Amino acid sequence: MRNRLFSIVLSLVFCCHFAVAQELVWSVDYNALFCNREGGDAQTPDQTFLHMRLAPAVGLSIMDGTHSFIGGITYTQPLNNNWEGHKVAPMFYYLLRHNGWHFAMGFVPRTLLAGQAPRYMWSDSISYHQPNVRGVLVQKFNRSGYAELFLDWRQMQSETRREAFNVTFNSRFHLTPILTLGGHVQYNHLAKRKNAPESESVNDDATINPMLGLDFSQRTVLDSLAVEAGAIIQVQRDRADHRWRTPAGFALSAVARWRWLEAQEQLFVGKDLFPLYEKYGSELNLGDPYYRYKVYSRTDIKAHIVNNSFVDLYASLSAHATDKTFGFWQQIGVRFFFDNILWLHRKDKGYLNGSKLKPIY
């Protein structure tokens, strides 16, 4: 009898502990972007658009956040007088966090990535319309930086779609308080359709991009000041002609921010990074077409009109200069993010204004 009573009490204690360890988590992520593009060419035509994206999610977290399962949707809507052009995509993933390791699998939002891919690997336009990693994400964090690896299966093979996926590695570490080392490596694959004709071939696209940087953010009166530079080595093959194409170039990026004003510069000098673009377009080459030019400079001046823990409302001007053309973009964007943690601190103005939400574009 005592043993049975002891077992019941022990079971109740365990159940109560498990119940207490559970937590309902939720979030609402909203993005809107108005962009007017002028001065483009055939590769980057003039256009004006308003893009909206809403991603509500809810889930269950247990063992103090070690294990989480989160589900929701991602709804995108272009500028129209009706629902035309809208898209609804699933967002379901399991997330494990333990001793600096993060593992996620499913339809994983790209907002979980520690480092956003540079635009020669992942263009703005694709970022608007493909907000999830459809596969597996593995990350390791420590005091000096991070490393992450993910598999994104973009398309399953069918009679009308070609199989497509990319494997990407991002990293950035502080070797000293100022000196940083990192970069990006990506393998991108575009296969055939099911029962494809003989003329259709398999394609490979690899990018190697080591970066060395200087980060003066902790040693200046500015909020941030950093510069990075490195080589971009592109390796592409169309298996139809068995020819390897190896364009390369030099990339430099710099960012400075003081209070609400931010300036960014991205410079590329080299050969056309996407030699197969005329044949396959963005289905194979995920980067910005501006990197097909020998010289390309993008300069962004951004004003963060409202910027705190849950909202970033900004306006920006972007100048795109190449050896052959000049483009000028005007943008107004907002990101609003709120979750169960921010809700708990909703009455604490110091907490809500203590950090700055970063836009994902």
Side-chain angles (χ1 to χ4, degrees):
M1 183 64 179
R2 290 182 178 179
N3 290 337
R4 180 178 297 180
L5 181 60
F6 177 79
S7 299
I8 293 174
V9 172
L10 187 62
S11 298
L12 289 173
V13 170
F14 176 78
C15 291
C16 289
H17 173 74
F18 183 76
V20 170
Q22 295 180 74
E23 182 183 7
L24 181 68
V25 295
W26 56 268
S27 65
V28 177
D29 198 347
Y30 172 78
N31 293 269
L33 178 67
F34 171 82
C35 183
N36 181 50
R37 299 180 176 182
E38 299 175 330
D41 56 13
Q43 297 181 74
T44 55
D46 294 358
Q47 59 179 319
T48 301
F49 62 86
L50 174 62
H51 170 84
M52 184 277 293
R53 186 165 73 209
L54 177 65
V58 64
L60 183 66
S61 178
I62 64 174
M63 296 179 65
D64 296 324
T66 301
H67 304 274
S68 300
F69 178 77
I70 299 172
I73 62 169
T74 301
Y75 168 76
T76 57
Q77 175 69 59
L79 176 62
N80 283 306
N81 291 325
N82 49 36
W83 298 96
E84 183 182 352
H86 77 280
K87 179 181 177 181
V88 179
M91 178 177 50
F92 295 105
Y93 62 98
Y94 163 75
L95 175 63
L96 169 68
R97 290 178 289 195
H98 182 67
N99 289 338
W101 286 95
H102 290 189
F103 171 85
M105 187 171 183
F107 292 90
V108 184
R110 293 186 184 276
T111 52
L112 293 186
L113 295 178
Q116 298 298 320
R119 290 183 172 93
Y120 40 84
M121 291 173 58
W122 196 258
S123 71
D124 287 343
S125 297
I126 292 180
S127 296
Y128 300 153
H129 301 291
Q130 299 189 29
N132 294 331
V133 172
R134 294 139 290 192
V136 179
L137 167 66
V138 181
Q139 300 169 304
K140 175 60 177 177
F141 298 90
N142 59 32
R143 293 182 178 179
S144 61
Y146 70 88
E148 64 184 1
L149 177 70
F150 64 87
L151 165 65
D152 185 12
W153 207 282
R154 304 192 309 278
Q155 291 183 170
M156 293 292 291
Q157 188 182 58
S158 71
E159 297 285 349
T160 58
R161 287 194 308 269
R162 304 175 68 144
E163 179 182 273
F165 68 86
N166 58 284
V167 181
T168 304
F169 174 80
N170 300 317
S171 68
R172 189 171 186 267
F173 292 95
H174 273 84
L175 302 180
T176 71
I178 295 178
L179 184 64
T180 64
L181 176 66
H184 314 275
V185 178
Q186 179 171 271
Y187 170 69
N188 184 27
H189 183 74
L190 181 65
K192 299 181 180 182
R193 292 171 293 174
K194 187 179 294 184
N195 302 318
E198 290 293 329
S199 59
E200 194 165 276
S201 62
V202 178
N203 305 275
D204 304 287
D205 172 26
T207 305
I208 304 171
N209 176 214
M211 298 291 283
L212 190 66
L214 298 172
D215 188 350
F216 300 101
S217 299
Q218 304 300 321
R219 297 173 178 249
T220 177
V221 296
L222 301 177
D223 293 323
S224 63
L225 178 62
V227 60
E228 283 187 311
I232 307 175
I233 303 169
Q234 196 85 348
V235 180
Q236 291 195 354
R237 177 178 64 160
D238 187 337
R239 298 188 190 180
D241 58 17
H242 304 285
R243 176 187 166 196
W244 290 96
R245 299 159 176 85
T246 56
F250 169 81
L252 180 145
S253 65
V255 59
R257 177 167 177 171
W258 180 71
R259 296 186 179 178
W260 52 271
L261 188 62
E262 182 177 8
Q264 298 180 9
E265 169 64 29
Q266 297 177 27
L267 175 67
F268 168 75
V269 179
K271 295 185 177 180
D272 176 2
L273 290 182
F274 312 133
L276 296 175
Y277 193 88
E278 293 294 339
K279 187 174 182 180
Y280 299 109
S282 59
E283 192 172 24
L284 172 66
N285 300 126
L286 307 176
D288 195 315
Y290 271 120
Y291 287 93
R292 299 197 63 201
Y293 293 99
K294 294 180 180 179
V295 178
Y296 169 50
S297 169
R298 171 171 175 159
T299 304
D300 292 272
I301 304 298
K302 181 180 293 186
H304 297 269
I305 302 167
V306 179
N307 196 191
N308 52 40
S309 298
F310 58 92
V311 65
D312 183 30
L313 171 62
Y314 61 90
S316 68
L317 301 175
S318 302
H320 302 258
T322 76
D323 53 318
K324 296 181 179 180
T325 186
F326 179 83
F328 183 58
W329 297 3
Q330 310 96 52
Q331 299 182 105
I332 299 176
V334 64
R335 184 186 179 202
F336 178 91
F337 177 83
F338 213 78
D339 63 6
N340 53 292
I341 298 176
L342 289 167
W343 175 258
L344 291 175
H345 298 87
R346 63 188 182 278
K347 296 181 180 180
D348 186 345
K349 294 183 179 179
Y351 183 90
L352 296 179
N353 291 319
S355 61
K356 297 176 180 178
L357 181 66
K358 297 180 180 180
I360 59 175
Y361 300 143

